[in-house]
Coordinates of all heavy atoms in Angstrom, one line a residue:
S1 N 113.8 104.3 96.3 CA 114.4 103.7 97.5 C 115.2 102.5 97.0 O 114.8 101.8 96.1 CB 113.4 103.2 98.4 OG 113.9 102.4 99.4
S2 N 116.4 102.2 97.6 CA 117.2 101.1 97.2 C 116.9 99.8 98.0 O 117.4 98.8 97.7 CB 118.7 101.4 97.4 OG 118.9 101.7 98.8
D3 N 115.9 100.0 98.9 CA 115.5 98.8 99.6 C 114.8 97.8 98.7 O 114.0 98.2 97.9 CB 114.6 99.2 100.8 CG 115.4 99.9 101.9 OD1 116.5 99.4 102.3 OD2 114.9 100.9 102.4
V4 N 115.0 96.5 98.9 CA 114.3 95.5 98.2 C 113.0 95.3 98.8 O 112.9 95.1 100.1 CB 115.2 94.2 98.2 CG1 114.4 93.1 97.5 CG2 116.5 94.4 97.5
C5 N 112.0 95.2 98.1 CA 110.6 95.0 98.6 C 110.6 93.6 99.2 O 111.2 92.6 98.6 CB 109.6 95.1 97.4 SG 107.9 94.6 97.9
S6 N 110.0 93.4 100.3 CA 109.9 92.1 101.0 C 109.4 91.0 100.1 O 110.0 89.9 100.1 CB 109.1 92.3 102.3 OG 109.1 91.1 103.0
S7 N 108.3 91.3 99.4 CA 107.8 90.2 98.5 C 108.7 89.8 97.4 O 108.9 88.7 97.0 CB 106.4 90.6 98.0 OG 106.5 91.7 97.2
D8 N 109.5 90.8 96.9 CA 110.5 90.6 95.8 C 111.6 89.7 96.4 O 112.1 88.8 95.8 CB 111.1 91.9 95.3 CG 110.1 92.6 94.4 OD1 109.0 92.1 94.1 OD2 110.3 93.8 94.2
L9 N 112.0 90.1 97.6 CA 113.1 89.3 98.3 C 112.7 87.9 98.5 O 113.4 86.9 98.3 CB 113.5 90.0 99.6 CG 114.7 89.5 100.3 CD1 115.9 89.6 99.4 CD2 115.0 90.4 101.5
I10 N 111.4 87.7 99.0 CA 110.9 86.3 99.3 C 110.9 85.5 98.0 O 111.3 84.4 97.9 CB 109.6 86.4 100.0 CG1 109.8 86.9 101.4 CG2 108.9 85.0 100.0 CD1 108.5 87.1 102.2
A11 N 110.4 86.1 96.9 CA 110.4 85.5 95.6 C 111.8 85.1 95.2 O 112.0 84.0 94.7 CB 109.7 86.4 94.6
A12 N 112.7 86.0 95.3 CA 114.1 85.7 95.0 C 114.7 84.5 95.8 O 115.3 83.6 95.2 CB 115.0 86.9 95.1
V13 N 114.4 84.5 97.1 CA 114.9 83.4 97.9 C 114.2 82.1 97.6 O 114.9 81.1 97.5 CB 114.6 83.8 99.4 CG1 114.9 82.6 100.3 CG2 115.5 84.9 99.8
S14 N 112.9 82.1 97.3 CA 112.2 80.9 97.0 C 112.8 80.3 95.7 O 113.0 79.1 95.6 CB 110.7 81.2 96.8 OG 110.0 80.1 96.5
A15 N 113.1 81.2 94.7 CA 113.6 80.7 93.4 C 115.1 80.1 93.6 O 115.5 79.2 92.9 CB 113.6 81.8 92.4
K16 N 115.8 80.7 94.5 CA 117.2 80.3 94.7 C 117.5 79.3 95.7 O 118.6 78.7 95.8 CB 118.1 81.6 95.0 CG 118.0 82.6 94.0 CD 118.8 82.3 92.8 CE 118.9 83.4 91.8 NZ 119.7 83.1 90.6
T17 N 116.5 79.0 96.6 CA 116.8 78.1 97.7 C 117.3 76.7 97.3 O 118.2 76.2 97.9 CB 115.5 77.9 98.6 OG1 115.2 79.2 99.1 CG2 115.8 77.0 99.7
E18 N 116.8 76.2 96.1 CA 117.3 74.9 95.7 C 118.7 74.9 95.3 O 119.3 73.9 95.2 CB 116.4 74.4 94.5 CG 116.6 75.2 93.2 CD 115.3 76.0 92.9 OE1 114.5 76.2 93.7 OE2 115.3 76.4 91.7
E19 N 119.3 76.1 95.1 CA 120.7 76.2 94.7 C 121.6 76.1 95.9 O 122.9 75.9 95.8 CB 121.0 77.5 94.0 CG 120.3 77.6 92.6 CD 120.6 78.9 92.0 OE1 121.6 79.6 92.3 OE2 119.8 79.3 91.1
L20 N 121.1 76.2 97.1 CA 121.9 76.1 98.3 C 122.3 74.7 98.7 O 121.5 73.8 98.5 CB 121.1 76.7 99.5 CG 120.7 78.2 99.4 CD1 120.0 78.6 100.7 CD2 122.0 79.1 99.2
T21 N 123.5 74.6 99.2 CA 123.9 73.3 99.8 C 123.1 73.1 101.1 O 122.6 74.0 101.7 CB 125.4 73.3 100.1 OG1 125.7 74.2 101.2 CG2 126.2 73.6 98.9
P22 N 123.0 71.9 101.6 CA 122.4 71.6 102.9 C 123.0 72.5 104.0 O 122.2 73.0 104.8 CB 122.6 70.1 103.1 CG 122.7 69.6 101.7 CD 123.4 70.6 100.9
R23 N 124.3 72.6 104.0 CA 124.9 73.5 105.1 C 124.5 74.9 104.9 O 124.3 75.6 105.9 CB 126.4 73.3 105.1 CG 127.0 74.0 106.4 CD 128.5 73.8 106.5 NE 129.2 74.5 105.4 CZ 130.2 74.0 104.7 NH1 130.7 72.8 105.0 NH2 130.8 74.7 103.8
E24 N 124.5 75.4 103.7 CA 124.1 76.8 103.4 C 122.7 77.0 103.9 O 122.3 78.1 104.4 CB 124.3 77.2 102.0 CG 125.7 77.3 101.6 CD 125.9 77.4 100.1 OE1 125.0 77.2 99.3 OE2 127.1 77.8 99.7
K25 N 121.8 76.1 103.7 CA 120.4 76.2 104.2 C 120.4 76.3 105.7 O 119.6 77.1 106.3 CB 119.6 75.0 103.8 CG 119.2 75.0 102.3 CD 118.4 73.8 101.9 CE 118.2 73.8 100.4 NZ 117.4 72.7 99.9
D26 N 121.2 75.5 106.4 CA 121.3 75.6 107.9 C 121.8 77.0 108.3 O 121.3 77.6 109.3 CB 122.3 74.5 108.4 CG 121.7 73.1 108.3 OD1 120.5 73.0 108.2 OD2 122.5 72.2 108.3
V27 N 122.8 77.5 107.6 CA 123.4 78.8 107.9 C 122.3 79.9 107.7 O 122.1 80.8 108.5 CB 124.6 79.1 107.1 CG1 125.0 80.6 107.2 CG2 125.8 78.2 107.5
L28 N 121.5 79.8 106.6 CA 120.5 80.7 106.3 C 119.4 80.7 107.3 O 118.9 81.8 107.7 CB 119.9 80.4 104.9 CG 118.8 81.4 104.4 CD1 119.2 82.8 104.4 CD2 118.2 81.0 103.1
K29 N 119.1 79.6 107.9 CA 118.1 79.5 108.9 C 118.5 80.3 110.1 O 117.6 81.0 110.8 CB 117.8 78.1 109.4 CG 117.1 77.2 108.3 CD 117.0 75.8 108.8 CE 116.4 74.9 107.7 NZ 116.4 73.5 108.1
L30 N 119.8 80.4 110.4 CA 120.3 81.1 111.5 C 120.4 82.6 111.2 O 120.2 83.5 112.0 CB 121.6 80.6 112.0 CG 121.5 79.1 112.6 CD1 122.8 78.5 112.9 CD2 120.6 79.1 113.8
L31 N 120.8 82.9 109.9 CA 120.9 84.3 109.5 C 119.6 85.0 109.6 O 119.5 86.2 110.0 CB 121.3 84.3 108.0 CG 122.8 84.3 107.6 CD1 122.9 84.4 106.1 CD2 123.5 85.5 108.3
V32 N 118.5 84.4 109.2 CA 117.2 85.1 109.2 C 116.7 85.4 110.6 O 115.9 86.3 110.8 CB 116.1 84.3 108.4 CG1 116.4 84.2 107.0 CG2 115.7 83.0 109.0
V33 N 117.2 84.7 111.6 CA 116.8 85.1 113.0 C 117.9 86.0 113.6 O 117.8 86.2 114.8 CB 116.6 83.8 113.9 CG1 115.4 83.1 113.3 CG2 117.8 82.9 114.0
G34 N 118.8 86.5 112.8 CA 119.7 87.5 113.3 C 121.0 87.0 114.0 O 121.7 87.8 114.6
K35 N 121.3 85.8 113.8 CA 122.5 85.2 114.4 C 123.8 85.8 113.8 O 123.8 86.0 112.6 CB 122.6 83.7 114.3 CG 121.5 83.0 115.1 CD 121.5 83.2 116.6 CE 120.5 82.4 117.3 NZ 120.4 82.8 118.7
T36 N 124.8 86.1 114.6 CA 126.1 86.6 114.1 C 126.9 85.4 113.6 O 126.6 84.2 113.9 CB 126.9 87.3 115.2 OG1 127.2 86.3 116.2 CG2 126.1 88.4 115.8
N37 N 128.0 85.7 112.9 CA 128.9 84.6 112.4 C 129.4 83.8 113.6 O 129.3 82.5 113.4 CB 130.0 85.2 111.6 CG 129.6 85.7 110.2 OD1 128.5 85.5 109.8 ND2 130.5 86.3 109.5
P38 N 129.9 84.4 114.7 CA 130.3 83.5 115.8 C 129.2 82.6 116.4 O 129.5 81.5 116.7 CB 130.9 84.5 116.8 CG 131.3 85.7 116.0 CD 130.3 85.8 114.9
E39 N 128.0 83.2 116.4 CA 126.9 82.4 116.9 C 126.6 81.2 116.0 O 126.2 80.1 116.4 CB 125.6 83.3 117.1 CG 125.8 84.2 118.3 CD 124.7 85.3 118.3 OE1 124.1 85.6 117.3 OE2 124.4 85.7 119.4
I40 N 126.6 81.5 114.7 CA 126.4 80.4 113.7 C 127.5 79.4 113.8 O 127.2 78.2 113.7 CB 126.3 81.0 112.3 CG1 125.1 81.9 112.1 CG2 126.3 79.9 111.2 CD1 125.1 82.8 110.9
M41 N 128.7 79.8 113.9 CA 129.9 78.9 114.1 C 129.7 78.0 115.3 O 129.8 76.7 115.1 CB 131.1 79.8 114.3 CG 132.4 79.0 114.6 SD 133.8 80.1 115.0 CE 133.4 80.5 116.7
D42 N 129.2 78.5 116.4 CA 129.0 77.7 117.6 C 127.8 76.7 117.4 O 127.9 75.5 117.7 CB 128.8 78.5 118.8 CG 130.0 79.3 119.3 OD1 131.1 78.9 118.9 OD2 129.9 80.3 120.0
A43 N 126.8 77.2 116.8 CA 125.5 76.4 116.7 C 125.8 75.2 115.7 O 125.2 74.2 115.9 CB 124.4 77.3 116.2
L44 N 126.5 75.5 114.7 CA 126.7 74.4 113.6 C 128.1 73.7 113.7 O 128.4 72.9 112.9 CB 126.6 75.0 112.2 CG 125.2 75.7 112.0 CD1 125.1 76.2 110.6 CD2 124.1 74.6 112.1
H45 N 128.9 74.1 114.7 CA 130.2 73.5 115.0 C 131.1 73.6 113.7 O 131.6 72.6 113.2 CB 130.0 72.0 115.4 CG 129.1 71.8 116.5 ND1 129.5 72.2 117.8 CD2 127.9 71.3 116.6 CE1 128.4 72.0 118.6 NE2 127.5 71.4 117.9
L46 N 131.1 74.8 113.2 CA 131.9 75.1 112.0 C 133.0 76.1 112.4 O 132.9 76.8 113.4 CB 131.0 75.7 110.9 CG 129.9 74.9 110.4 CD1 129.0 75.8 109.5 CD2 130.4 73.7 109.7
S47 N 134.0 76.2 111.5 CA 135.0 77.3 111.7 C 134.4 78.6 111.3 O 133.5 78.7 110.5 CB 136.3 77.0 110.9 OG 136.0 77.2 109.5
L48 N 135.0 79.7 111.8 CA 134.5 81.0 111.4 C 134.7 81.3 109.9 O 133.9 81.9 109.3 CB 135.2 82.1 112.3 CG 134.7 83.5 112.1 CD1 133.2 83.6 112.4 CD2 135.5 84.5 113.0
S49 N 135.9 80.8 109.4 CA 136.1 81.0 108.0 C 135.1 80.3 107.1 O 134.6 80.8 106.1 CB 137.5 80.6 107.6 OG 137.7 79.2 107.8
T50 N 134.6 79.1 107.6 CA 133.6 78.4 106.8 C 132.3 79.1 106.9 O 131.6 79.2 105.9 CB 133.4 77.0 107.4 OG1 134.7 76.3 107.2 CG2 132.3 76.2 106.7
V51 N 131.9 79.7 108.0 CA 130.7 80.4 108.2 C 130.7 81.6 107.2 O 129.8 81.9 106.5 CB 130.4 80.8 109.6 CG1 129.2 81.8 109.7 CG2 130.2 79.6 110.5
K52 N 131.8 82.4 107.3 CA 132.0 83.5 106.4 C 131.8 83.2 104.9 O 131.2 83.9 104.2 CB 133.3 84.2 106.6 CG 133.4 84.9 108.0 CD 134.8 85.6 108.2 CE 134.9 86.3 109.5 NZ 136.2 86.9 109.7
K53 N 132.4 82.1 104.5 CA 132.3 81.6 103.1 C 130.9 81.3 102.8 O 130.4 81.6 101.7 CB 133.3 80.4 103.0 CG 133.3 79.8 101.5 CD 134.1 78.6 101.4 CE 133.5 77.5 102.2 NZ 133.4 76.2 101.8
D54 N 130.2 80.6 103.7 CA 128.8 80.2 103.4 C 127.9 81.4 103.4 O 127.0 81.5 102.5 CB 128.3 79.2 104.5 CG 128.9 77.8 104.3 OD1 129.5 77.5 103.3 OD2 128.8 77.0 105.3
V55 N 128.1 82.4 104.3 CA 127.3 83.6 104.3 C 127.5 84.3 102.9 O 126.5 84.7 102.3 CB 127.6 84.5 105.5 CG1 126.9 85.8 105.3 CG2 127.1 83.8 106.8
S56 N 128.7 84.4 102.5 CA 129.0 85.1 101.3 C 128.4 84.4 100.1 O 127.8 85.0 99.2 CB 130.5 85.2 101.0 OG 131.1 86.0 102.0
A57 N 128.4 83.1 100.1 CA 127.8 82.3 99.0 C 126.3 82.5 99.0 O 125.7 82.6 97.9 CB 128.2 80.8 99.2
I58 N 125.7 82.5 100.1 CA 124.2 82.7 100.2 C 123.9 84.0 99.6 O 123.0 84.1 98.8 CB 123.7 82.5 101.7 CG1 123.9 81.1 102.2 CG2 122.3 83.0 101.8 CD1 123.8 80.9 103.7
L59 N 124.5 85.1 100.1 CA 124.2 86.4 99.6 C 124.5 86.5 98.1 O 123.7 87.1 97.4 CB 125.0 87.4 100.4 CG 124.8 87.5 101.9 CD1 125.6 88.6 102.6 CD2 123.3 87.7 102.2
R60 N 125.6 85.9 97.7 CA 125.9 86.0 96.2 C 124.8 85.2 95.4 O 124.3 85.7 94.4 CB 127.2 85.4 96.0 CG 127.7 85.5 94.5 CD 129.1 84.9 94.3 NE 129.1 83.4 94.6 CZ 129.7 82.9 95.6 NH1 130.3 83.6 96.5 NH2 129.6 81.6 95.8
K61 N 124.4 84.1 95.9 CA 123.4 83.3 95.1 C 122.1 84.0 95.1 O 121.3 83.9 94.1 CB 123.2 81.9 95.8 CG 124.4 81.0 95.5 CD 124.2 79.6 96.2 CE 125.4 78.7 96.0 NZ 125.3 77.4 96.6
F62 N 121.7 84.8 96.1 CA 120.5 85.5 96.1 C 120.6 86.9 95.5 O 119.6 87.6 95.4 CB 120.0 85.6 97.6 CG 119.5 84.3 98.2 CD1 119.4 84.2 99.5 CD2 119.2 83.2 97.4 CE1 118.9 83.0 100.1 CE2 118.7 82.0 98.0 CZ 118.6 81.9 99.3
G63 N 121.8 87.3 95.2 CA 122.0 88.7 94.7 C 121.7 89.7 95.7 O 121.2 90.8 95.4
I64 N 122.0 89.4 97.0 CA 121.7 90.3 98.1 C 123.0 90.9 98.6 O 124.0 90.2 98.8 CB 121.0 89.5 99.3 CG1 119.6 89.0 98.8 CG2 120.8 90.4 100.5 CD1 119.0 88.1 99.8
A65 N 123.0 92.2 98.8 CA 124.3 92.9 99.2 C 124.6 92.8 100.6 O 125.8 92.8 101.0 CB 124.2 94.4 98.8
S66 N 123.6 92.6 101.5 CA 123.8 92.7 102.9 C 123.0 91.6 103.7 O 121.8 91.4 103.4 CB 123.5 94.1 103.5 OG 123.5 94.1 104.9
R67 N 123.6 91.0 104.7 CA 122.9 90.1 105.5 C 121.8 90.8 106.3 O 120.8 90.1 106.7 CB 123.9 89.4 106.5 CG 124.4 90.3 107.6 CD 125.5 89.8 108.4 NE 125.2 88.7 109.2 CZ 125.9 87.7 109.5 NH1 127.1 87.6 109.0 NH2 125.5 86.7 110.2
E68 N 121.8 92.1 106.4 CA 120.7 92.8 107.1 C 119.4 92.7 106.3 O 118.4 92.8 106.9 CB 121.1 94.3 107.3 CG 122.3 94.5 108.3 CD 122.0 93.9 109.6 OE1 120.9 94.2 110.2 OE2 122.9 93.2 110.2
L69 N 119.5 92.5 105.0 CA 118.3 92.3 104.2 C 117.6 91.0 104.4 O 116.4 90.9 104.1 CB 118.6 92.5 102.7 CG 119.1 93.9 102.3 CD1 119.5 93.8 100.8 CD2 118.0 94.9 102.5
V70 N 118.3 90.0 105.0 CA 117.6 88.7 105.2 C 117.2 88.6 106.7 O 116.3 87.9 107.0 CB 118.4 87.5 104.8 CG1 118.7 87.5 103.3 CG2 119.7 87.4 105.6
K71 N 117.8 89.4 107.6 CA 117.5 89.3 109.0 C 116.0 89.7 109.3 O 115.6 90.7 108.8 CB 118.4 90.2 109.8 CG 118.3 90.0 111.3 CD 119.4 90.7 112.0 CE 119.3 92.1 112.1 NZ 120.3 92.8 112.9
G72 N 115.3 88.8 110.0 CA 114.0 89.1 110.4 C 112.9 88.8 109.3 O 111.7 89.0 109.6
K73 N 113.3 88.3 108.2 CA 112.4 87.9 107.1 C 111.8 86.6 107.5 O 112.4 85.8 108.2 CB 113.0 87.9 105.8 CG 113.6 89.2 105.3 CD 112.6 90.3 105.2 CE 113.3 91.6 104.7 NZ 112.5 92.7 104.9
D74 N 110.6 86.3 107.0 CA 109.9 85.1 107.3 C 110.2 84.1 106.2 O 109.4 83.8 105.3 CB 108.4 85.3 107.4 CG 107.6 84.1 107.8 OD1 108.3 83.2 108.4 OD2 106.4 84.1 107.7
F75 N 111.4 83.5 106.2 CA 111.8 82.6 105.2 C 111.7 81.1 105.8 O 112.0 80.2 105.1 CB 113.3 82.8 104.8 CG 113.5 84.1 104.1 CD1 114.8 84.6 104.1 CD2 112.5 84.8 103.4 CE1 115.1 85.8 103.5 CE2 112.8 85.9 102.8 CZ 114.1 86.5 102.8
D76 N 111.2 81.0 107.0 CA 111.2 79.7 107.6 C 110.5 78.6 106.7 O 111.1 77.5 106.6 CB 110.4 79.7 109.0 CG 111.2 80.5 110.0 OD1 112.4 80.8 109.7 OD2 110.6 80.9 111.0
E77 N 109.4 78.9 106.1 CA 108.7 77.9 105.3 C 109.5 77.6 104.0 O 109.4 76.5 103.5 CB 107.3 78.3 105.0 CG 106.4 78.4 106.2 CD 106.4 77.1 107.0 OE1 106.2 76.0 106.3 OE2 106.5 77.2 108.2
L78 N 110.3 78.5 103.5 CA 111.0 78.3 102.3 C 112.3 77.5 102.5 O 112.7 76.8 101.6 CB 111.5 79.7 101.7 CG 110.3 80.7 101.3 CD1 110.9 82.0 101.0 CD2 109.5 80.1 100.2
I79 N 112.8 77.5 103.7 CA 114.1 76.8 103.9 C 114.1 75.6 104.8 O 115.1 75.1 105.1 CB 115.1 77.8 104.4 CG1 114.7 78.4 105.8 CG2 115.4 79.0 103.4 CD1 115.7 79.4 106.4
K80 N 112.9 75.1 105.1 CA 112.8 73.9 105.9 C 113.2 72.7 105.1 O 113.0 72.6 104.0 CB 111.4 73.7 106.4 CG 111.1 74.6 107.6 CD 109.7 74.3 108.2 CE 109.5 75.2 109.4 NZ 108.2 75.0 110.0

């Protein structure tokens, strides 16, 4: 299976969280609860292009191919 094991994904996120900027951490908090780019834009008062850039940076830093892999994960304690 090409799916990333949840514990592997959590370990990867934990190791990489310190590489995130404060704004990327805010974006990630909204990503894990399934917010869309426009919802993140409204919540954080950012432009859509900024949100897209931040989402791409988060996924790249974590080596994750899709935002669907972070949605619904219990990363709350890691990113507070």
Side-chain angles (χ1 to χ4, degrees):
S1 170
S2 63
D3 290 313
V4 176
C5 175
S6 185
S7 61
D8 291 345
L9 189 55
I10 290 172
V13 168
S14 182
K16 299 286 185 179
T17 299
E18 68 250 15
E19 297 178 16
L20 297 178
T21 66
R23 190 177 68 220
E24 288 169 348
K25 288 178 184 178
D26 289 340
V27 170
L28 181 58
K29 288 176 186 175
L30 297 173
L31 271 181
V32 299
V33 295
K35 297 295 185 188
T36 64
N37 286 353
E39 289 170 331
I40 294 169
M41 177 185 78
D42 290 341
L44 299 180
H45 308 289
L46 301 171
S47 72
L48 188 57
S49 61
T50 297
V51 172
K52 289 179 179 179
K53 182 184 67 138
D54 287 343
V55 169
S56 293
I58 291 164
L59 298 180
R60 185 179 64 252
K61 288 176 181 182
F62 291 161
I64 297 171
S66 168
R67 68 192 292 145
E68 293 302 310
L69 291 173
V70 298
K71 188 167 74 173
K73 301 298 182 193
D74 187 17
F75 295 158
D76 292 346
E77 293 305 313
L78 298 173
I79 60 177
K80 279 187 179 176

